[in-house]
Amino acid sequence: MDAERGTVRSAPSGVRRPAAPTAGGRRTDAPHTATPRAGVPLTETQRAGVPLTETQRADAPHTDPPHPGARRPPARLPRSRRPLADLPSAETTSPWILMYHSVAVEKEDPYRLTVSPERFAEQIAWLHRRGKRGVSVRELMRARAAGRADRLVGLSFDDGYADFARHAVPILQAYGFTATAYVVADLLGRANDWDAEGPRKTLLTVQEVTDLAAAGWEIGSHGLGHQALPGLPADVLTAQTRDSRRLLEEVVGGPVTGFCYPYGAVDLAATLAVRDAGYDYACAIAHSPLTGRYALPRCYVGDRDGAWRLRAKRGRHRLRDTVTELRRHRLAARAGRLRRVP
Ligand SMILES: [Zn+2]
């Protein structure tokens, strides 16, 4: 359980779900609809029907293991198909990226997706007081590559709710901050029907997305129809990533370089599809063996998060970075031992 990441969204009816979700290559055989215990919030990953524990995610191998007990060298994959986690990484820590969904006033919010405008203003003011500047994930990644990201925090808004333009943008503008809105390419101007229990919220229209992009706000892809990617056939994965990018580039009149996995659900095939579709980066939620440019972990921010909780979450993010890196080294060492077996 992780109360910091909101509550469960049941599997949306009519939305195709992976038959056997994987995380890091391991079949979970878990029920596709996450079942919350009373009063226990679940993670976005659990919402996607991939209810792995942190330990399971971190320990899962990247490919299906051979027969139990058998040892064999890893298959030689073409360079373009090798697991991203095996690629050399110059960065041992991930940037701090906050994950929002909706900024509005809601009486009922079972998935804890909504932050009130007042609370949101407090959170942004807290960042500002600490000398931080909130920026789009695109800007954050560019600044990081140039070694200029010390005081930057990524601000991301999933699903593309219309209230982003109405409530979040004016507050961000007051501080000179920017942000990224990840929109669902096939559902612009419609509603979040994938959230069975509501509340029903309207999504940004085509015109609003066009206007936001023209004003400098980054627009990223959240897929075609808010469908979880793990387990999808290759052609559907390609459509979800490449076609959504093409559609949104027509709307914004320029390149769309960021992707955000619906429900935060990610596996190796999804990261490769996103990379091959031409994106520059992708946002996940949890730290995992896939953590990196195409599976950036993010920090859920909710309406209960005041200054001390945000400070604690910042520390927890760094701790998870460290643990993830240690596990990555352990996996690399294990792979090295396997390669030495004649
Ligand atoms: Zn979403």
Side-chain angles (χ1 to χ4, degrees):
M1 189 276 275
D2 185 346
E4 308 309 319
R5 292 189 190 138
T7 55
V8 65
R9 284 195 238 182
S10 54
S13 59
V15 174
R16 180 171 181 169
R17 278 308 169 89
T22 63
R26 172 174 291 178
R27 290 174 66 95
T28 65
D29 294 322
H32 300 156
T33 302
T35 306
R37 283 180 285 144
V40 178
L42 299 182
T43 67
E44 272 247 340
T45 303
Q46 286 170 317
R47 291 206 284 273
V50 193
L52 292 182
T53 66
E54 196 81 305
T55 305
Q56 283 174 315
R57 279 195 294 267
D59 288 344
H62 299 308
T63 55
D64 286 332
H67 302 296
R71 291 180 121 200
R72 68 180 186 197
R76 298 294 295 176
L77 296 173
R79 176 170 289 278
S80 65
R81 306 307 295 175
R82 284 182 198 163
L84 296 172
D86 283 355
L87 298 177
S89 169
E91 298 157 352
T92 55
T93 60
S94 52
W96 200 36
I97 303 172
L98 305 186
M99 177 180 69
Y100 288 96
H101 286 78
S102 169
V103 178
V105 175
E106 295 286 359
K107 284 184 183 158
E108 298 292 328
D109 188 26
Y111 306 124
R112 294 186 187 166
L113 299 178
T114 311
V115 176
S116 73
E118 291 73 22
R119 179 61 103 179
F120 181 70
E122 288 174 18
Q123 293 164 346
I124 296 303
W126 177 80
L127 286 175
H128 182 70
R129 278 200 309 277
R130 290 176 57 84
K132 302 289 186 188
R133 179 165 174 263
V135 295
S136 67
V137 181
R138 176 179 62 195
E139 182 174 343
L140 179 69
M141 297 302 283
R142 286 176 182 169
R144 193 170 163 80
R148 296 184 284 101
D150 277 359
R151 309 199 73 77
L152 302 184
V153 177
L155 299 178
S156 63
F157 293 78
D158 289 17
D159 301 340
Y161 294 110
D163 56 50
F164 171 72
R166 285 162 205 161
H167 296 309
V169 162
I171 293 169
L172 295 170
Q173 281 177 323
Y175 289 90
F177 288 9
T178 64
T180 305
Y182 296 105
V183 304
V184 184
D186 267 353
L187 300 180
L188 299 182
R190 296 171 65 179
N192 59 332
D193 292 330
W194 61 83
D195 278 337
E197 295 180 35
R200 200 59 59 229
K201 293 170 180 281
T202 55
L203 304 175
L204 292 163
T205 64
V206 169
Q207 188 60 51
E208 286 172 323
V209 170
T210 302
D211 293 346
L212 284 166
W217 301 92
E218 184 192 6
I219 301 299
S221 171
H222 204 31
L224 281 176
H226 209 278
Q227 186 173 5
L229 299 193
L232 294 178
D235 58 331
V236 183
L237 266 183
T238 300
Q240 288 288 330
T241 52
R242 191 176 59 192
D243 293 358
S244 66
R245 183 175 187 217
R246 181 177 48 76
L247 279 171
L248 290 175
E249 286 183 338
E250 288 175 13
V251 173
V252 306
V256 169
T257 58
F259 188 87
C260 175
Y261 300 99
Y263 305 97
V266 58
D267 65 0
L268 178 60
T271 61
L272 293 172
V274 167
R275 184 191 65 179
D276 292 347
Y279 292 95
D280 186 49
Y281 74 86
C283 285
I285 299 177
H287 283 77
S288 79
L290 295 170
T291 288
R293 174 171 287 274
Y294 290 99
L296 294 167
R298 291 183 297 161
C299 174
Y300 162 84
V301 182
D303 199 51
R304 297 183 302 166
D305 292 327
W308 75 266
R309 286 175 63 96
L310 288 173
R311 200 175 299 119
K313 287 184 172 187
R314 167 76 175 164
R316 189 181 61 181
H317 179 83
R318 288 287 161 250
L319 180 64
R320 286 176 172 163
D321 268 348
T322 302
V323 170
T324 301
E325 196 59 21
L326 287 172
R327 286 175 171 160
R328 203 195 296 269
H329 280 303
R330 194 178 67 188
L331 286 170
R334 192 183 300 164
R337 283 198 301 276
L338 287 174
R339 286 193 186 99
R340 283 196 290 277
V341 174

